[in-house]
Amino acid sequence: MTKLADIQIRDPFLLTLPDDAGYLLFGSTDKNIWSGPATGFDCYRSSDLEDWEGPIPAFRPSPGFWSKEQYWAPEVHGYQGRYFMFATFTAPGHCRGTQILSAESPEGPYTPWSDGPVTPRDWECLDGTPHIDAGGTPWLVFCHEWKQVNDGTIVAHQLSHDLRTTVGEPTVLFAASEAPWSRALDVPAVADREAPVYVTDGPFLHRMANGKLIMLWSGFGDHGYAMGIARSASGTVLGPWVQEPEPIWGRDGGHGMIARKLDGGLILTLHQPNQSPHERAAFFALRETEDSVVLDVPCPGAGNLIDREDLVRRHNVTQQELDPRSPVSVGNGEFAFTMDLTGLQTLPGCYPVGARGELPAGTLLGTQAQWGWHSVPPASPHDLAGSTVLYDSPRGPVPYVDMVGDIVNDRETGTSAAETWLRANPHRLDLGRIGFRMVRDGLDRGITPEDITQATQTLDLWSGTVTSTFTLAGQQVKVTTACHPSRDELGFRVESPALGSGLVVGIDFPYGSESWHDAADWSKPGAHSTVLDGQWVAHRELDDSRYDVAIAGEELVVEQTGLHSLRIAPQSQSTVLDFSLTFTPGEGGDCTPRGNNHHSGAAPAEGFDADPASGVVPSSDGAGSRVAAAAAAHWPRFWTSGGAIELNATNDPSAKELERRIVLSQYVTAINCAGSLPPQETGLVCNSWRGRFHLEMHWWHAAHFALWNRTELLLPSLRWYSSILEASRQTAKQQGFEGVRWPKQVGPDGRESPSTIGTFLIWQQPHPIYLAELAYRATPDREVLEEFAGIVFESAAFMASFAHPTGRGFELGPPLVPAQESYGFMRGEVSNPTFELAYWQWALRVASQWRERLGLDPVPLWDEVADNMVTPHVTDGVYAAIDVDPFTIRTDHPSMLCALGVLPRTGLIDPVIMKATLADVLADWDWASTWGWDYPVMAMTAARLEDPEAAVDALLMTAGKNTVLANGHNRQTDSLRLYLPGNGGLLAAVALMAAGWDDGPARHAPGFPAGWTVKWEGLVQAP
């Protein structure tokens, strides 16, 4: 017998068999129903709706059957002494449609009854369901698919009495957009369509005891896949149909039907969640009302499980004194602005970022964009040739980009002029410093911390706005700060009588900086230009970088007061300054075109007014207030989309701290890591490594988006890899390998940086495969496979050719540096790191699965390498980091744990040995040398080893690098004041701990201790 929770099934249909005192459960049962060859339909038999016999083959196509893929939504109905199956099929060159099959027995076997689909042959149709009207006439009710009509419709078409064909013409009953709860589909696949896309799925008609006729149907609502009810005003199939305003099922579930239990009660049958391969059938008691049906108990999928607004708002960030470590930010993934206690950047020196060297400190108060880049013109052209060194390898000498100099204690020493330039360019720009000033006798005077008293600042996470109040020279000041969700536009509203006494806003523009920690160089005013035109647009030019800053607002005085300084003041004696600043890259040059990170909950149309319930109600329609309104409309949609975890009911105080970290990590990664480029470690707050991003960290920044069912926030940066395919292919080719070798530390051009470590890393190579697989698991359709197949296959081709065969199997290196970078000094000798061996095996097998899903022939070498990777080295019963002396250095990342933690179980890793390895690491690792993502690694390993107490302890371990500040930032050092891989790693870990993993324990929240009260919804199970 099989439990319902163990049956993967979509579009479930329950057939009650009173004479047999049992039930049959049909549905879309192919393991991969989105692509690849179809098997057919199975059914399951039960007497209690809990334990099921099966699978029982109900339909298997004959060799000549016209459809070979995507068999969906079988329904079985008794009619005229036979059983009829209505199911959806498609084939290349044919439109999708509903065909009718028949059998003498309810279990089948079913064979074709109609001659192909009975839906219109030139329509894309699906999910046909029968209805017999009061006169005994059969009808087919089906969906005319959004892919053909944008606004999907529900259509009725009369059937012949023998159910072999249709009669007359089809009648459109209603469109998806007519339902008040229905929302336009907002995914990248439909972004280029001229009209909004609304989905109709799974109609099912039910005649109530009082004779009234209702219809269930599914689409997308505020919280994803949902199911609503329509009522026929006439009591007939032709309607008109009246939509209920709220869905009966509102979150991540649908394609339902109404069945009658053996005892006569009604039950709603649907699938949840809506992600393959995690969908399962679920049954809920129903009762009829006068006009409709309602659930007997509150629907756990309709939003009642977690009050998301309460969850989010109890972790708002409120500060009443200046905390130099915890400024807050607003942003949209492509652009961000970090502010001090005044709501602007008035006190940059109070928020220092320590230098790595003798340079002055930088500041946490940055204004940065994914497109904002600059290169200092070199005295002569530089390339990587001078840093390229031949290294011995099992295949002979191989060229690697190395360094003439070295990196000692995080400082570059002995580097050549070329290496210094290549490591520092292009670098990310600070686009402008925006702060308050006081004008006295026509001159601007800076404001000091001592001038600010009685301050309170709140980042309202639910609305994405910051409200700051303080007293300046005895006068109250209130500032509202926001960032537009889809434009690089900042909104400010300043309310204060001090505006009539000389309080103004100033903007200063710096030159680009080659410093490791600081994006602004204020010492070269002659090296760049700022020109304010008559339209209040500041045109900026720094060598080959150009961008504009447009100022908008009513009753403003805007003037240029210095070479690179602007002043914004109100006209006359106004007490309100309401304005916006829009940053736009120029064409060509080092500043790149703005990327498109369009995602769910995009900006409202111009003039949108925030819902008063959001808590942020603009008091005017000024330019800054409009930005705040757009933010206040966007952020509730962000928080109500995707997943949520609530731990507040747990008595353990550590649960409340973990919940705080989870909520704040979602916010800081959304504004910093959801852009069109892989993020830098410090996102869009300030520079580290000169703003360049590290591809081995991309998984830690972005994998969680897919696990939290916000895949649209992952896809823009994953698409970036396509832009560097050719350059990466040339790197692999020069080294004698197939496919593409992804670089390590880069700017948007993808050019590698000279390094004694970075170019020897290999663990970034499988990352695009893993990220693409997560995207597919969250949205398992062929479009995802086709879009990212090139990245996946090219990555796999390199990996298979990089592994070299020996008498022991396929091995990795030398030369290489593992994820644990402690072995950089011996990069020419390192081989077979434990994590990378397991990653190679797992990722190559995933790549082979992608070929199978796409119907492509396998690549034998991929399977050969994966099946024959050498076994990781074991010393004293624990996994070593590498398989050459010294085997394990107990500093930096304990990356061997990733082999069963970040990765699922593979044939290479023995869980017993990994359990001993985790205990060994926890006993005496050098915690001061670790990094923020090492703690989620330990948590994921502990969870997969079924030690949830150790998992939670690892996430909350008291260690310097595991500190999470008041603003949610994971502090590392004085020069690395925030570290977003730590936040992303935390989110990946808790998603795995809550939603579980493939073939993991069946219990609720398997990675959390049994004594914890864990509520979660909308997450995607981990591999």
Side-chain angles (χ1 to χ4, degrees):
M1 303 292 281
T2 303
K3 293 293 186 183
L4 188 66
D6 296 326
I7 300 173
Q8 179 188 342
I9 192 168
R10 292 182 71 85
D11 318 322
F13 186 91
L14 189 66
L15 179 66
T16 305
L17 303 173
D19 293 343
D20 295 337
Y23 307 90
L24 287 178
L25 178 64
F26 296 85
S28 304
T29 50
D30 280 343
K31 293 299 182 185
N32 182 4
I33 67 168
W34 306 103
S35 59
T39 301
F41 297 118
D42 293 329
C43 65
Y44 295 81
R45 178 181 286 272
S46 175
S47 59
D48 59 8
L49 299 178
E50 295 181 4
D51 297 305
W52 297 83
E53 299 174 18
I56 304 165
F59 168 66
R60 294 293 184 268
S62 65
F65 188 65
W66 66 280
S67 176
K68 307 295 183 186
E69 60 184 16
Q70 296 183 355
Y71 291 6
W72 296 350
E75 295 189 8
V76 170
H77 300 262
Y79 178 74
Q80 294 185 348
R82 293 182 64 86
Y83 291 91
F84 292 88
M85 177 182 283
F86 295 72
T88 299
F89 302 98
T90 191
H94 296 262
C95 286
R96 192 186 316 277
T98 294
Q99 183 166 358
I100 303 174
L101 317 175
S102 186
E104 295 181 357
S105 167
E107 294 99 332
Y110 287 86
T111 57
W113 181 260
S114 65
D115 182 16
V118 291
T119 46
R121 298 296 176 95
D122 57 348
W123 287 17
E124 292 286 351
C125 305
L126 74 165
D127 298 347
T129 185
H131 170 70
I132 309 299
D133 68 18
T137 299
W139 294 79
L140 182 73
V141 178
F142 61 92
C143 301
H144 192 178
E145 199 173 10
W146 62 268
K147 291 186 176 182
Q148 192 173 46
V149 295
N150 286 324
D151 193 357
T153 60
I154 301 290
V155 181
H157 203 166
Q158 184 178 331
L159 290 169
S160 62
H161 281 276
D162 62 4
L163 305 186
R164 291 190 183 271
T165 189
T166 53
V167 177
E169 297 298 321
T171 300
V172 175
L173 304 182
F174 58 83
S177 63
E178 294 177 30
W181 59 267
S182 180
R183 298 291 180 264
L185 192 63
D186 191 4
V187 296
V190 303
D192 296 333
R193 288 183 173 248
E194 294 181 358
V197 166
Y198 292 84
V199 172
T200 49
D201 265 354
F204 180 85
L205 284 81
H206 172 71
R207 180 76 67 182
M208 299 202 307
N210 61 11
K212 294 181 179 181
L213 185 64
I214 64 172
M215 183 195 303
L216 302 181
W217 65 278
S218 297
F220 284 82
D222 285 332
H223 311 305
Y225 198 52
M227 182 168 57
I229 296 177
R231 291 177 280 110
S232 173
S234 67
T236 71
V237 69
L238 295 180
W241 290 88
V242 179
Q243 304 294 331
E244 294 198 354
E246 298 294 332
I248 187 172
W249 192 275
R251 189 187 300 277
D252 201 22
H255 200 116
M257 55 86 60
I258 298 173
R260 196 168 292 278
K261 295 174 63 177
L262 292 171
D263 64 8
L266 296 178
I267 51 175
L268 175 67
T269 300
L270 52 80
H271 75 247
Q272 61 167 357
N274 194 42
Q275 295 82 35
S276 293
H278 314 299
E279 61 271 81
R280 298 293 186 268
F283 306 131
F284 301 91
L286 280 179
R287 57 183 173 84
E288 293 184 352
T289 64
E290 176 64 25
D291 294 313
S292 188
V293 292
V294 295
L295 291 161
D296 259 352
V297 295
C299 167
N304 296 320
L305 182 61
I306 296 176
D307 182 336
R308 296 204 183 189
E309 182 175 356
D310 181 66
L311 167 66
V312 170
R313 276 197 158 137
R314 65 173 169 255
H315 299 294
N316 282 352
V317 180
T318 297
Q319 303 184 76
Q320 293 182 316
E321 58 184 27
L322 191 153
D323 182 347
R325 306 187 306 170
S326 291
V328 295
S329 306
V330 292
N332 57 31
E334 293 288 340
F335 175 88
F337 174 80
T338 301
M339 69 203 77
D340 58 27
L341 205 56
T342 70
L344 301 181
Q345 298 166 331
T346 308
L347 307 167
C350 295
Y351 297 81
V353 175
R356 289 189 169 183
E358 306 305 322
L359 296 173
T363 182
L364 285 167
L365 307 185
T367 307
Q368 296 198 320
Q370 296 285 14
W371 49 260
W373 296 87
H374 172 253
S375 292
V376 174
S380 58
H382 297 306
D383 59 36
L384 297 170
S387 298
T388 301
V389 176
L390 289 177
Y391 275 78
D392 290 334
S393 81
R395 289 185 172 85
V398 176
Y400 278 81
V401 176
D402 202 320
M403 282 178 66
V404 174
D406 202 353
I407 301 174
V408 180
N409 295 327
D410 295 327
R411 300 186 183 186
E412 299 165 8
T413 60
T415 54
S416 66
E419 288 172 345
T420 300
W421 189 90
L422 290 165
R423 287 177 61 83
N425 293 278
H427 44 261
R428 202 179 298 261
L429 284 169
D430 190 326
L431 299 173
R433 190 71 45 78
I434 306 161
F436 284 117
R437 301 171 185 160
M438 290 297 294
V439 177
R440 292 287 185 266
D441 300 323
L443 299 177
D444 290 1
R445 181 181 69 82
I447 292 172
T448 68
E450 293 72 27
D451 296 329
I452 306 296
T453 61
Q454 298 178 315
T456 298
Q457 181 180 76
T458 297
L459 164 60
D460 180 36
L461 298 166
W462 187 253
S463 65
T465 57
V466 178
T467 303
S468 310
T469 61
F470 55 92
T471 299
L472 177 67
Q475 295 180 306
Q476 283 289 313
V477 182
K478 179 182 178 181
V479 183
T480 303
T481 311
C483 179
H484 198 282
S486 61
R487 296 196 297 265
D488 300 341
E489 182 179 14
L490 296 172
F492 303 97
R493 180 177 173 85
V494 183
E495 302 170 67
S496 176
L499 291 168
S501 305
L503 182 64
V504 300
V505 173
I507 310 176
D508 295 314
F509 297 106
Y511 187 61
S513 171
E514 294 181 300
S515 298
W516 184 95
H517 68 299
D518 191 356
D521 183 347
W522 302 96
S523 69
K524 299 181 176 64
H528 56 119
S529 66
T530 304
V531 178
L532 179 68
D533 67 18
Q535 303 300 312
W536 294 351
V537 177
H539 303 281
R540 295 277 295 134
E541 186 165 347
L542 307 82
D543 305 308
D544 202 25
S545 299
R546 289 169 291 278
Y547 65 95
D548 293 338
V549 182
I551 302 166
E554 300 290 334
E555 299 182 355
L556 304 181
V557 176
V558 180
E559 53 189 324
Q560 185 160 356
T561 57
L563 198 58
H564 302 293
S565 297
L566 308 179
R567 179 195 294 164
I568 303 173
Q571 290 181 359
S572 64
Q573 297 296 307
S574 174
T575 60
V576 174
L577 187 62
D578 197 321
F579 68 99
S580 73
L581 303 175
T582 301
F583 294 75
T584 308
E587 295 184 4
D590 290 334
C591 285
T592 63
R594 189 190 192 276
N596 176 20
N597 70 334
H598 176 70
H599 51 78
S600 180
E606 284 299 323
F608 184 95
D609 291 325
D611 184 342
S614 71
V616 176
V617 183
S619 54
S620 79
D621 61 353
S625 295
R626 287 196 296 269
V627 173
H634 161 77
W635 280 99
R637 291 199 292 269
F638 167 81
W639 289 114
T640 54
S641 72
I645 297 176
E646 186 172 50
L647 306 173
N648 195 51
T650 304
N651 289 328
D652 189 335
S654 63
K656 296 173 175 57
E657 170 59 16
L658 182 55
E659 184 186 275
R660 181 188 76 90
R661 296 184 182 194
I662 292 169
V663 171
L664 291 175
S665 291
Q666 290 176 77
Y667 180 78
V668 298
T669 55
I671 65 174
N672 287 290
C673 303
S676 51
L677 295 177
Q680 66 162 321
E681 257 76 327
T682 45
L684 298 170
V685 174
C686 62
N687 271 6
S688 56
W689 288 276
R690 304 173 176 92
R692 298 164 70 78
F693 41 94
H694 299 179
L695 294 189
E696 84 279 14
M697 288 293 99
H698 193 195
W699 193 98
W700 299 97
H701 285 289
H704 65 90
F705 287 132
L707 295 171
W708 281 75
N709 207 6
R710 295 184 179 119
T711 312
E712 68 276 8
L713 303 186
L714 162 65
L715 295 181
S717 60
L718 184 56
R719 292 187 174 110
W720 171 81
Y721 287 89
S722 296
S723 72
I724 64 163
L725 269 173
E726 187 53 39
S728 301
R729 186 178 291 112
Q730 289 303 313
T731 299
K733 183 177 181 180
Q734 289 165 8
Q735 294 182 333
F737 301 120
E738 300 296 321
V740 298
R741 181 162 194 169
W742 304 114
K744 192 272 192 196
Q745 183 184 143
V746 297
D749 57 357
R751 191 260 300 150
E752 186 60 275
S753 303
S755 175
T756 58
I757 291 177
T759 58
F760 299 88
L761 294 177
I762 61 171
W763 68 296
Q764 73 270 34
Q765 303 307 323
H767 279 356
I769 299 177
Y770 202 142
L771 295 174
E773 175 68 5
L774 291 178
Y776 176 75
R777 289 169 65 93
T779 310
D781 60 40
R782 192 176 182 89
E783 290 177 346
V784 174
L785 296 173
E786 291 175 345
E787 178 173 6
F788 296 109
I791 292 171
V792 169
F793 297 158
E794 293 279 15
S795 299
F798 168 79
M799 293 169 61
S801 66
F802 183 83
H804 58 91
T806 70
R808 300 196 304 154
F810 282 90
E811 304 195 38
L812 302 178
L816 62 80
V817 173
Q820 183 189 2
E821 297 179 5
S822 304
Y823 310 92
F825 71 95
M826 55 181 292
R827 54 193 175 275
E829 293 82 45
V830 174
S831 60
N832 297 325
T834 294
F835 170 36
E836 283 81 348
L837 288 172
Y839 209 174
W840 244 242
Q841 182 183 79
W842 182 80
L844 283 171
R845 286 177 174 167
V846 169
S848 292
Q849 290 173 0
W850 274 55
R851 294 191 67 84
E852 181 180 357
R853 291 166 183 163
L854 287 166
L856 301 175
D857 292 335
V859 178
L861 180 61
W862 298 2
D863 296 330
E864 182 184 1
V865 172
D867 293 343
N868 294 282
M869 295 300 298
V870 297
T871 303
H873 187 79
V874 176
T875 300
D876 297 328
V878 302
Y879 283 115
I882 58 177
D883 75 346
V884 296
D885 189 61
F887 300 111
T888 301
I889 298 173
R890 305 184 74 79
T891 61
D892 199 54
H893 312 296
S895 60
M896 68 287 287
L897 299 180
C898 297
L900 182 56
V902 174
L903 298 180
R905 186 170 297 190
T906 63
L908 285 180
I909 300 301
D910 182 335
V912 174
I913 298 175
M914 185 56 78
K915 189 169 186 176
T917 306
L918 176 60
D920 181 65
V921 168
L922 290 171
D924 65 348
W925 202 261
D926 177 21
W927 302 115
S929 67
T930 57
W931 296 72
W933 57 268
D934 295 325
Y935 303 89
V937 165
M938 292 185 287
M940 288 186 278
T941 300
R944 289 190 190 267
L945 292 172
E946 300 192 40
D947 188 351
E949 288 77 12
V952 168
D953 288 346
L955 286 179
L956 295 170
M957 183 182 292
T958 302
K961 299 291 185 67
N962 199 35
T963 299
V964 177
L965 303 172
N967 60 0
H969 288 166
N970 177 208
R971 185 186 185 278
Q972 303 294 286
T973 65
D974 285 344
S975 62
L976 198 57
R977 293 293 186 108
L978 67 152
Y979 189 61
L980 291 162
N983 298 99
L986 171 79
L987 293 175
V990 295
L992 177 144
M993 292 162 63
W997 54 95
D998 293 352
D999 301 320
R1003 65 181 180 273
H1004 174 74
F1008 283 92
W1012 282 44
T1013 301
V1014 180
K1015 295 181 180 180
W1016 70 268
E1017 60 192 26
L1019 302 171
V1020 177
Q1021 192 176 78

